[in-house]
Each structure stands twice: as C-alpha cells, then as structure tokens.
Amino acid sequence: MADLTQDETILILDYGSQYTQLIARRVREAQVYCEIHPHTLSAEAIRRLNPRGIILSGGHHSVYDPGAPDLNPAVLALGVSVLGICYGMHLLARHCGGEVAPSATREYGPATLWHDEQQPNPFPHFFKPTHITGFKEGRPWPNKVWMSHGDHVSQVPNSFQVFAKSDNNIIAGMVSKDGRLVGIQFHPEVDHTEEGELLIQDFVLARCGCHGLWTPQGVIEREIALVRQKVGQDAVILGLSGGVDSAVTAALLHRAIGPQLTCIFVDNGLLRLHEGDEVMATFAQHLGVRVIRVAAEELFLSRLQGVVDPEQKRKIIGHTFIEVFEAEAKKMDGVRWLAQGTIYPDVIESAGGKTGTATTIKSHHNVGGLPAKMGLALLEPLRELFKDEVRQVGLALGLPARMIHRHPFPGPGLGVRILGEVRREFADLLRQADAIYMEELHRSGHYHKTDQAFAVFLPVKSVGVMGDGRSYEYVIALRAVETKDYMTAAYYPMPHELLARIAGRIINEVKGINRVTYDITSKPPGTIEWE
Ligand code: XMP
C-alpha cells in the first residue's frame, strides 16, 4: 500500500511563531497530511520528507537581525510550491532579491486587505471573484485579516508581482511570476482572519496539487498497515483508562492486530459511576477486544488512607497504577510492545517534538517510565493526530459518540475531586452526585456547551433541615468551565433554574449530602480541578 504521508506531505518550517500549530491544524482540516519541523531542518531531511509544498511560519525576528533564523536554500531548490507567512514572506523576499523594512508602526490586530484585480489571484476561494455588492469606493470588497508584524516587504523581488495590499498600503501578498512562491503578510491560520482556511485550502489543494487524502478512513488504513508492519506477530499491551486517546488507540490496534492486543484496565476505585462496566461493555463485549480488568480498589484506597496532600495523593495513585499494570503485564508471555495514546500536541509541545529526534512520552501519562523499566518498545499510533482527528478516527472505528465526546477526566480520577483524605464512602457519594449532574447536563443540552464539568466532594458538614428534622451532612460543589486549551478557563454561566434542579436532585437522591454550591472561580486565579 502506498504511504500517503510520503505521497502528499506539506512541510511546515517553524520560525518560532505562536501560531505554527494552527497552521498545521488548518492544513489537516483541508485533509492533507503535514508535519511541523524546526527551521533548522537539514537539506537532507527536507528532501527525505519529499513534501508537496512548504509553508514558512511567522516569527518574531527581523530578517536583518544578526543571527536571525534563515531560509535553507534547499527549500527553494526543491522546486515545490512555497507559502511564506509574515516572517516567512520576508525570508522569501530577501532570498529572491527584494527588500524588507521596519514599519513605522507595528501592525497588530485586524486589518483590511484588497486584492488587486489586475494581478494574478493565487487564492481564488479566499479572494473571491468580485460581484456588484462587493465594491466599495469602486474597489472589490476587502478581506478581513489578522496582522501581527513589525517589518514588511518594502520592495518585492523583480520576479514577483504584488497581488494584495492592506488599507495602510502595506504589501500584503506577493507571488513569483511562475506562481510557485507566494508570500503573505497576514495570518490566514488564526480565527480572526475571515475564511482564512480557504486560503490554506487553495494553497495545499490547488497550488501544491494535494488530493485531500488525509481522511479518517485513510488514516485508519495507513496506521493499520504501519502497525502490522512494525509489530509482526508480537504481543502488545495497552493501559485502557476510559479516556478518548487510549480508547481510540485500543480500537485502532484491535482492528490492526486483533488478539495480539491485550488491554489492561485498572479499576482503582476512583472512577465515575458505572465507568468500569461501560469500558468493559464497549471494548470487551461490543468490540471483542481482550481486556483484563484488574479490581484494585482495595489496594489504592488502603494506600491513600490518611493522606491529605494533593501531590502526595497523585504520586501514590500514579505509582500504584504502574505497580499493578506491571504485575499484570508480567503474567503475559511474549509482550514486546507497550501502546500509548500519545497525540500530536503532546509531541509538538515537548522538547523532543521541537528537535524532531527524541521519542516523547506524555508527561502526565499514567504509564510514563514503564517502557524503559520493562524493556518494551513504544507503539503510538495516534502520534501524528490532533485531538479532533483522534475523535473522528474513533467515530469511524465505531466507538460510541458519547465516549468520544466526553469531557477530559484526570488520571488520578476522583482522587483529586475528594478534597483531603480519600475514603470509599466519600467516593460513593461523589459518584452518585456527579452522575446526577452529568445526566442533567446532557438532558438540558448544556454538556457540550461546557468543556469540562464535574462535581467535587467537600469533607465538611453543614447544617440543614429536611422534613421536620435537622440534618448535618456533607457538601458537594459543582464546577463547569469553558476553555480552549485548559490553560485558562472561564466559569460557565449555568442557568439558575438548571442549577436549582441539579441541587434539588442531589440533595434528595444522595443520602449524606445536604448542601450544593456552584463554583464561579475562573482560571486564573483558580485551577479547573480543586486539587
Ligand atoms: P487544572 O486543575 O490544572 O487542570 O486547571 C487542567 C486540566 O488538566 C486536568 N488535570 C489532570 N489530568 N492528571 C491528569 O491526567 C492530573 O493529575 C491532572 N490534574 C489536572 C484537569 O482535569 C483539566 O482538564
């Protein structure tokens, strides 16, 4: 089978822009495979990637700065289409005989762009053909774009034509006469550029000649072939957590190597209501994956007894997991591979991804450290996928939508949602309250409007009245946030009627809880979890 990544790869050279990952996401959304590499990538490595096109990212340098990152001549020598964005455009200009100058003022933020109709249009879907309502002062309707630059191209190379200018008369787009090299001063990859994704599509599909083969089905077929080739007849183990990444890894590997895969699912007693049974139902019963469920609740809870410090709890849960997992794996013969649900952002964000050399393990991943300790080779079939691609692949593999679109759940589970000491009694109360909360969020359509929502158990008692009697019971806090990257988050403005219904149900149905509060702290200064 032809390897699609070899046939149709777009290479993104990173010059330090904060938006480089977004460029890759836009290319992938156009269903074209791409890889981000540092701008220092060697000529030999560039040739080996055999890219259909190259995108030069932006960056905060000025091309005339001493030691500023430069353009590898191999990029131009390869003969493929090149798109230079911002700093990338300045590099193209400089290398082809043009000039770059500092702008009088830094242009940062929204800007308006005009395509010069007398000139070629390298991006026909982005710079749409004009129509009568699209004229302003006799000129075609402008594109709204996002700018972020200090320098600009002051003189385009002789072999280039200017096809777009900003309202400030800055050269915003230039294309070589053979159409192969294009520079743009704005950022089509950010949301603020209206329909910027069309420009990226125009580049990778029309200009580079890619065919949009990077579909979930294409990815699945490719990964299956690669996994089979790598693994041969060896046995593979995988820690199943109930999270999306390990679930999709399991489904994919099962499709590729069937019974050679064994999943180990450690029930640590800190899972959500019925979670263990649901994982078994989906994987073991429904998909026919071989799953070993290890009932380790007693062990985890006994180790957590009397421990109140959150970091200490995390360490105990992590170490105990590794111990249980390792003991289970040792019972099996011929295991050579440990599979992990590492995804592309984990790879890019790590130092290993930046240099493109080291194999990186998800830092907070439960099985980190295990491969080396156990002498196993790593298998990471989702390593090249963004989260939304992982979800699409999961759906295409037949995993339930509810599992695929579930909010993230931390590795230490309810262990960090029971404040202070973890006790079975507390975990049981929290599980019930959380299940009611989730049920109401789903029923009211608010679950998918929030990015993470959960209940927290507070081990303090407060006084209440129930019926004619006085109650003295524990407190549940409800948390729901909106966030893009989980680094910052805003509390979710949950409708009061819904909160009242959830609180009423929890207090009536969970014996032992008599008070419910809603957390309105954003991050920062709070964190998403309470511990
Ligand atoms: P915080 O609480 O730091 O959470 O604002 C940010 C995101 O990370 C998750 N989280 C964890 N995930 N192990 C994990 O696997 C952990 O120890 C852990 N602590 C927090 C949290 O659920 C949120 O999505």
Side-chain angles (χ1 to χ4, degrees), residues 314 364 408-412 416-417 452 486 523 527-529 531:
R314 275 193 173 81
H364 64 265
F409 186 62
V416 290
R417 291 180 180 173
Q452 198 171 7
Y486 297 85
K523 174 185 179 179
T527 50
I528 296 175
E529 302 289 346
E531 282 200 337

Side-chain angles (χ1 to χ4, degrees), residues 202-266:
D202 278 340
F203 179 70
V204 298
L205 300 178
R207 303 202 77 73
C208 300
C210 296
H211 294 89
L213 301 172
W214 188 252
T215 59
Q217 209 49 49
V219 171
I220 291 169
E221 282 167 23
R222 168 180 182 269
E223 286 305 327
I224 286 176
L226 288 175
V227 166
R228 284 183 182 154
Q229 192 186 9
K230 255 190 188 171
V231 167
Q233 300 303 311
D234 295 341
V236 178
I237 50 167
L238 166 72
L240 204 53
S241 70
V244 177
D245 301 343
S246 71
V248 176
T249 307
L252 184 64
L253 291 180
H254 178 67
R255 182 79 67 93
I257 54 171
Q260 284 165 257
L261 171 71
T262 304
C263 295
I264 299 175
F265 174 56
V266 178

